[in-house]
Amino acid sequence: MLRGPVRALFLLLAVLLGCGSAACGGPAGGPREDAAGLAIRRAVADWSARPPAALAALPLEGWTYEVTSVRRDGVRASAAARLRYRLAGYDAAPAGSDRSLALSEDGGRWKVTGDRPAAGAPPQLWDQGPVTVVRGEHVLVLGGAGRSRAELEAVAGVAGRTVPEVSAAWPRPWAGRVVVVVPGSLDAMAALLGRPVDAYRGLAAVTTALVGAAPAPADRVVVNPQAYGELSEEGRQVVLTHESTHVATRSATTDTTPLWLSEGFADWAAYRSAGRTPAQAAPALRRAVGRGELPSALPSNEEFTFGGDAQALARAYEGAWLACRLIADRWGEAALVRLYESAGRTALPMALRTTLDTDLPHLTQTWQSTLRKELR
């Protein structure tokens, strides 16, 4: 990720998966559910067979609502449901959203009259207004209310160029396609991700995914239009390459993968063809080394927490990038990829031993020597 105007946060926000039923009726509600309750469920099933006309431009498939509970008050009712859907050609598994449906009875028949996010659940992009869809090479861009087609086409152009870069850095099977969401504003972005606005202020993009899941979930790269718009063309390329790398490596990333490796690898992929020197791309760490403050260890997971010391966070990302760059230069790019895969399956000391034939103290010392040499 890119810090300040040129760092993007690596967020792994869980996307709930799995909808094995073609019907959206879900549990029948037990033997005590009356005929009206069953009729309400059938009404939801019939209604969900036809996605809203406003979403006609989206390549939707598997659009279903799984009803989990029904409450009725006379001729009005509400149903709690789980929406599941896929973007055809992009999602290997369903995206999900908790919804609250309103229904009314008319002439003895129930019909759905409203659909909104469940209490406490983030909205979907279309809940915020009209959605503009732009298709590019290797990319599908979804724009929120207020985003122009020209702006989205420009994003699609940059994002499309990231895919070959990512595939070159990560020569493992992956979808080779990305979905980029450009909300209408920073506030809209925060709402979609269910977090405070301050969590994303100044960040150009984030990635949503469930680490280590199989099959691959519905990954999304979500752009902060405000911060992204302030970047240079090179900065935008680096941001989206970094985030697309997280999409590509997501299935190999688990809770055992150190953040210095996952974030450093994504930056390494993003900077491979950028032609920037360590001194240019790691200014915060260069200043620290110049002051004699050489890091005593590779960045810990806690050092990647946003909301604290911005300079310390920058040093963590820069140090992670330089660690992955070192591994690629010293042991080879293929070895770096193998290390990433192994670190997602086993503890880091074992992964280092089996892929690089080294240990953490030796890697750390070599990294420190590299910092002294390249950040003078």
Side-chain angles (χ1 to χ4, degrees):
M1 298 185 188
L2 301 181
R3 68 189 143 55
V6 285
R7 280 265 179 215
L9 172 62
F10 175 33
L11 293 177
L12 298 177
L13 302 175
V15 180
L16 298 179
L17 306 176
C19 179
S21 172
C24 69
R32 294 186 180 180
E33 186 162 54
D34 59 17
L38 295 174
I40 290 169
R41 291 175 182 273
R42 285 194 297 271
V44 173
D46 292 342
W47 175 78
S48 67
R50 299 178 298 277
L55 303 183
L58 287 174
L60 293 172
E61 66 179 10
W63 180 275
T64 60
Y65 285 74
E66 179 185 349
V67 175
T68 56
S69 66
V70 172
R71 298 185 64 179
R72 182 167 60 92
D73 183 10
V75 296
R76 300 193 180 280
S78 62
R82 180 69 175 168
L83 167 64
R84 300 185 192 278
Y85 67 92
R86 296 177 180 174
L87 296 178
Y90 292 88
D91 294 341
S97 174
D98 290 325
R99 311 294 293 183
S100 177
L101 304 177
L103 300 97
S104 64
E105 186 182 16
D106 183 15
R109 294 178 60 87
W110 287 94
K111 62 179 181 180
V112 175
T113 57
D115 177 5
R116 64 179 185 275
Q124 294 291 295
L125 186 63
W126 54 83
D127 291 319
Q128 298 177 335
V131 176
T132 302
V133 179
V134 171
R135 296 174 185 267
E137 189 175 12
H138 314 299
V139 63
L140 181 71
V141 178
L142 310 180
R147 303 267 66 94
S148 71
R149 178 167 290 275
E151 176 185 8
L152 301 177
E153 288 174 349
V155 171
V158 176
R161 293 192 294 273
T162 72
V163 171
E165 294 286 335
V166 172
S167 294
W170 181 254
R172 296 291 187 267
W174 71 289
R177 299 178 301 274
V178 291
V179 178
V180 181
V181 178
V182 187
S185 65
L186 173 59
D187 287 343
M189 175 189 184
L192 288 175
L193 297 175
R195 299 196 63 192
V197 170
D198 287 345
Y200 306 110
R201 199 179 304 278
L203 301 177
V206 301
T207 305
T208 67
L210 180 62
V211 296
D219 293 338
R220 303 286 185 263
V221 174
V222 184
V223 169
N224 173 356
Q226 179 178 329
Y228 182 86
E230 297 172 355
L231 297 178
S232 66
E233 188 69 13
E234 180 190 32
R236 294 173 182 178
Q237 184 78 36
V238 170
V239 165
L240 293 184
T241 303
H242 177 108
E243 299 303 330
S244 297
T245 301
H246 284 317
V247 174
T249 60
R250 190 265 322 125
S251 62
T253 309
T254 71
D255 290 340
T256 70
T257 308
L259 284 181
W260 71 259
L261 182 55
S262 61
E263 293 298 344
F265 187 92
D267 265 356
W268 172 75
Y271 283 121
R272 280 176 80 239
S273 60
R276 304 189 72 185
T277 66
Q280 292 171 328
L285 191 53
R286 182 188 183 190
R287 289 191 294 270
V289 172
R291 295 191 300 266
E293 300 172 3
L294 187 71
S296 61
L298 288 165
S300 66
N301 286 1
E302 291 71 26
E303 291 179 73
F304 292 91
T305 302
F306 280 73
D309 184 339
Q311 288 299 305
L313 180 64
R315 293 193 296 270
Y317 277 101
E318 293 167 359
W321 166 59
L322 287 169
C324 289
R325 181 176 180 270
L326 163 66
I327 293 168
D329 290 347
R330 180 69 61 91
W331 284 273
E333 294 184 2
L336 175 59
V337 171
R338 291 195 300 271
L339 173 63
Y340 196 106
E341 292 176 309
S342 180
R345 300 189 300 263
T346 188
L348 181 63
M350 176 65 73
L352 289 170
R353 187 160 55 250
T354 58
T355 60
L356 307 185
D357 192 25
T358 191
D359 57 24
L360 187 56
H362 180 257
L363 175 62
T364 302
Q365 292 167 7
T366 307
W367 173 69
Q368 291 171 323
S369 296
T370 300
L371 299 184
R372 291 191 192 96
K373 177 182 177 181
E374 297 195 326
L375 297 180
R376 291 179 297 184

